[in-house]
Amino acid sequence: MKKCTGVILLVVILLAIGLMFAMANQKFAAGVALFTGAEQVLVAESEHGSTYLVRAEQGMEWIKAHLAEQGWAYTDQMGAELLFERADGQRLHASVRRWARYFQEVQIEIPEAVTSTGM
């Protein structure tokens, strides 16, 4: 019985440490969420842009579809940078980079002109 109690206590301590680490590191927590079935996870958001973690196999296609829903048309790709434009001529770009073996980090940077009118 003491051995079982010790194992349970060890597991609880390890889970608590893991939870504290996950709360301190948003990307780690987002990676855990992706492993549990989420397609993408918002990691950070500000008035200048957003950062997402996305499953590696869908990073580029997901960002194109996500921005198309918001009225942005994909125009070009320069390496890991995707360029988008609205009908009124406003432009923004999104960068996609490998974050880990199975995930990509997608950063959407919003130009000043867009932040004043809303994305």
Side-chain angles (χ1 to χ4, degrees), residues 6-16:
V7 170
I8 291 172
L9 181 60
L10 179 62
V11 169
V12 168
I13 289 170
L14 290 175
L15 287 174

Side-chain angles (χ1 to χ4, degrees), residues 51-80:
T51 302
Y52 295 86
L53 275 187
V54 180
R55 292 182 184 274
E57 67 272 5
Q58 65 177 4
M60 296 278 193
E61 295 309 314
W62 176 81
I63 193 60
K64 290 176 187 178
H66 177 68
L67 289 174
E69 290 173 0
Q70 298 177 20
W72 294 95
Y74 168 76
T75 58
D76 200 5
Q77 179 177 349
M78 297 177 148

Side-chain angles (χ1 to χ4, degrees), residues 15-112:
L15 287 174
I17 290 170
L19 181 60
M20 287 187 303
F21 180 77
M23 290 171 61
N25 188 340
Q26 290 179 335
K27 285 185 183 177
F28 179 79
V32 170
L34 288 172
F35 265 126
T36 60
E39 296 297 320
Q40 72 280 335
V41 177
L42 178 65
V43 176
E45 188 170 38
S46 72
E47 64 184 36
H48 302 293
S50 305
T51 302
Y52 295 86
L53 275 187
V54 180
R55 292 182 184 274
E57 67 272 5
Q58 65 177 4
M60 296 278 193
E61 295 309 314
W62 176 81
I63 193 60
K64 290 176 187 178
H66 177 68
L67 289 174
E69 290 173 0
Q70 298 177 20
W72 294 95
Y74 168 76
T75 58
D76 200 5
Q77 179 177 349
M78 297 177 148
E81 298 285 324
L82 300 174
L83 307 175
F84 296 86
E85 190 171 329
R86 276 191 172 163
D88 61 3
Q90 293 179 332
R91 296 179 182 188
L92 69 75
H93 69 274
S95 61
V96 179
R97 68 181 187 148
R98 181 71 64 163
W99 180 72
R101 182 176 181 180
Y102 300 106
F103 310 119
Q104 290 181 334
E105 180 182 66
V106 176
Q107 292 183 323
I108 303 170
E109 296 181 24
I110 305 168
E112 292 294 322

